[in-house]
Amino acid sequence: MSFKVPRGTQDILPGESEKWQKIEGIMRHLCHVYRYPELRTPMFESTELFQRGVGDSTDIVQKEMYTFEDRGGRSLTLRPEGTASISRSYVEHKMYGYADQPVKVSYLGPMFRYERSQKGRYRQFVQFGVEAIGSKDPAVDAEVIELAMRVYQEAGLKHLKLVINSLGDKEVRDAHRDALIAHFEPHIGEFCADCQKRLQQNPLRILDCKVDAANPLIEQAPQLTNYLNEESAAYFDQVKKYLDALGIDYVVDPNLVRGLDYYNHTAFEIMSTAEGFGAITTLCGGGRYNGLVEEIGGPESPGIGFGMSIERLLLALEAEEVALNIENDLDLFIVAMDEDAKLKAVELTSSFRVKGIATEIDYAGRKMKAQMKAADRLNAKYVIVLGGSELEEQAANVKNMETGDQEKVPFHDLVNYLLAHK
Ligand code: HAM
């Protein structure tokens, strides 16, 4: 019998996991600078939270959730995204009462969607996201977009495109919805069974249907931009003004609708324009969700945020052939020539590690030559060889593996020497 990881999931092995940590480090640093402390929520929530939050008519809720009943008969769902959970937490902990609004938080962790797995689309993926809840200042929209762009720029990506749109307020969406129904209704027979249901439930979802994408009626559909009222248009202008002030380039795409129900006003996606990136070009998606907090039982608290997966960021780095600057982290390898030397090596290794010097020794009973080879393979910065004469002299040669230089250092000075040189 042999076991494999479940479809759509992956093991991140050492060698690869360093890249993840590097990216996560960039994210954590930026969250510190932009003041988005981490909020950790459970990996599963009550199913109803996502039905109400993400929306009953979305693909996520209809087809992609990992939903199960626990032994107490409760329906629970592995989180497919973070915004609903963060909003729940905002309400549950009465964060709307905090003196400082918006409440700005970030999250980083696995999300689960039962999707057709392919390159860039997984069933378990790691999403980094931020949410700012409790303000409808368009400057917050610009801040959130800037932060998302900064993550990619700091990682070294160059081929990026920011696409923005306004989905307007409720009045705008209702008028657009009526226009969509009038547009599609006479021809709805040509569409897939899902779209036929979507017509009354949420006709906006027809626009991003994967089955009917090629139907010309989709391209000819009434565009939401043409229904923007004065207030929504003014809000969108403000967002653009702030983006201009920040020097952030963008393209306005009236067809950008996003696949979750909670959005209104600002919607945005960041795409990779790198050649060979593959079919799925969206790296990051986000937008404003005024009304979501009320939908799940809280007071009026407008919010905005984004989500991005580390998987897609790494694919974009690969497509642009950007190498992450990952430091060689082994400072020292101690080669021991015999049993007595091994005893000293174990003792020294421990004392070095206490001081933060990354140290490795041989645990495979290898001869000196094989130990030297291992030190080479592991890319150790320094090597110390311990034998009878070193123990006698209480001093050893420290060899710099890059330059080949050696220096004799007494045992009691080794820590200081290594700390000064590593
Ligand atoms: P979303 O567009 O569903 O939005 O996902 C955001 C990002 O998560 C995508 O752009 C992509 O990077 C990543 N992602 C989604 N599904 C997968 C998958 N199957 N495999 C790999 N990566 C994936 C949301 O999730 C919203 N909660 C974003 C948001 C936060 N809006 C406001 N605040």
Side-chain angles (χ1 to χ4, degrees):
M1 181 147 202
S2 74
F3 294 104
K4 291 215 160 86
V5 291
R7 182 188 288 266
T9 69
Q10 53 182 340
D11 294 325
I12 315 296
L13 304 183
E16 194 61 23
S17 59
E18 289 82 353
K19 295 184 193 163
W20 288 67
Q21 289 178 351
K22 179 93 187 178
I23 299 294
E24 288 162 9
I26 292 172
M27 292 165 167
R28 294 210 156 93
H29 171 70
L30 287 171
C31 283
H32 168 72
V33 176
Y34 283 76
R35 312 305 300 147
Y36 284 79
E38 186 179 18
L39 169 55
R40 296 189 188 194
T41 61
M43 222 87 85
F44 54 83
E45 299 267 0
S46 78
T47 301
E48 210 186 330
L49 173 69
F50 300 116
Q51 287 167 339
R52 292 185 76 95
V54 175
D56 262 334
S57 68
T58 59
D59 273 0
I60 294 184
V61 169
Q62 294 216 331
K63 303 181 186 162
E64 297 172 358
M65 297 207 301
Y66 282 91
T67 296
F68 59 98
E69 209 171 85
D70 74 3
R71 287 169 191 272
R74 302 167 196 91
S75 179
L76 298 170
T77 293
L78 296 184
R79 62 181 185 190
E81 60 104 51
T83 314
S85 307
I86 298 288
S87 300
R88 186 231 359 102
S89 183
Y90 180 86
V91 176
E92 185 168 343
H93 299 282
K94 300 191 175 57
M95 293 185 210
Y96 44 79
Y98 288 6
D100 293 309
Q101 300 289 331
V103 173
K104 306 200 298 184
V105 296
S106 59
Y107 49 94
L108 175 63
M111 307 286 166
F112 307 85
R113 298 184 192 180
Y114 190 80
E115 296 201 75
R116 214 160 47 81
S117 53
Q118 62 189 101
K119 192 173 166 194
R121 182 170 282 151
Y122 308 93
R123 292 185 176 171
Q124 175 178 327
F125 55 97
V126 174
Q127 203 188 55
F128 163 67
V130 309
E131 312 292 347
I133 309 183
S135 166
K136 51 181 178 201
D137 183 339
V140 182
D141 302 38
E143 173 178 287
V144 162
I145 292 173
E146 183 190 43
L147 172 50
M149 291 296 286
R150 283 287 303 282
V151 173
Y152 295 119
Q153 287 158 353
E154 301 271 315
L157 290 176
K158 301 234 163 8
H159 300 280
L160 299 166
K161 184 166 97 176
L162 167 65
V163 182
I164 60 170
N165 190 23
S166 171
L167 303 178
D169 57 17
K170 186 159 185 325
E171 183 188 290
V172 174
R173 290 163 67 88
D174 286 348
H176 181 235
R177 181 197 149 90
D178 292 345
L180 284 176
I181 294 178
H183 173 76
F184 286 116
E185 203 161 27
H187 312 277
I188 198 66
E190 298 169 27
F191 286 79
C192 71
D194 280 343
C195 280
Q196 299 190 8
K197 271 189 257 154
R198 288 172 182 139
L199 182 69
Q200 293 301 330
Q201 236 182 5
N202 186 353
L204 202 62
R205 291 275 81 83
I206 299 178
L207 302 183
D208 57 12
C209 174
K210 287 164 194 151
V211 181
D212 291 313
N215 191 315
L217 281 168
I218 290 192
E219 213 179 301
Q220 295 153 12
Q223 287 189 343
L224 203 141
T225 328
N226 298 329
Y227 293 81
L228 285 191
N229 53 24
E230 217 171 291
E231 212 186 316
S232 301
Y235 190 87
F236 194 36
D237 283 343
Q238 289 282 320
V239 174
K240 289 187 279 188
K241 198 177 83 184
Y242 280 114
L243 289 175
D244 291 338
L246 293 173
I248 297 172
D249 289 335
Y250 54 83
V251 178
V252 177
D253 179 357
N255 291 321
L256 178 73
V257 292
R258 308 273 304 122
L260 299 90
D261 278 353
Y262 47 62
Y263 290 116
N264 42 56
H265 290 288
T266 317
F268 67 95
E269 287 188 357
I270 300 171
M271 337 281 274
S272 167
T273 53
E275 248 175 70
F277 181 62
I280 301 171
T281 55
T282 305
L283 297 176
C284 169
R288 193 158 261 294
Y289 47 87
N290 304 348
L292 173 60
V293 167
E294 284 127 293
E295 182 65 35
I296 58 176
E300 188 188 338
S301 316
I304 177 152
F306 67 73
M308 61 169 71
S309 67
I310 297 191
E311 286 83 351
R312 288 197 195 165
L313 196 168
L314 289 171
L315 284 174
L317 287 172
E318 219 174 88
E320 288 195 26
E321 293 178 2
V322 178
L324 289 170
N325 185 15
I326 292 172
E327 274 175 46
N328 164 27
D329 56 357
L330 181 58
D331 297 317
L332 174 70
F333 192 100
I334 305 182
V335 174
M337 306 222 313
D338 55 32
E339 261 312 302
D340 290 344
K342 169 85 178 276
L343 196 64
K344 188 69 192 170
V346 166
E347 188 194 312
L348 286 175
T349 296
S350 168
S351 67
F352 294 156
R353 287 174 176 165
V354 167
K355 296 292 180 188
I357 300 164
T359 310
E360 192 58 283
I361 49 172
D362 172 66
Y363 290 122
R366 285 176 287 206
K367 299 258 181 299
M368 179 184 158
K369 225 169 146 191
Q371 290 188 41
M372 289 299 289
K373 271 199 187 146
D376 234 11
R377 264 197 311 276
L378 295 174
N379 217 356
K381 284 183 221 156
Y382 291 92
V383 170
I384 292 177
V385 180
L386 292 184
S389 57
E390 282 78 14
L391 295 191
E392 211 163 283
E393 286 182 55
Q394 292 286 297
N397 279 325
V398 182
K399 182 173 179 186
N400 180 324
M401 296 297 277
E402 205 179 275
T403 61
D405 294 345
Q406 301 208 32
E407 211 169 319
K408 187 168 244 176
V409 183
F411 284 169
H412 62 85
D413 274 347
L414 276 171
V415 165
N416 286 338
Y417 181 88
L418 290 164
L419 282 178
H421 291 81
K422 82 179 178 106

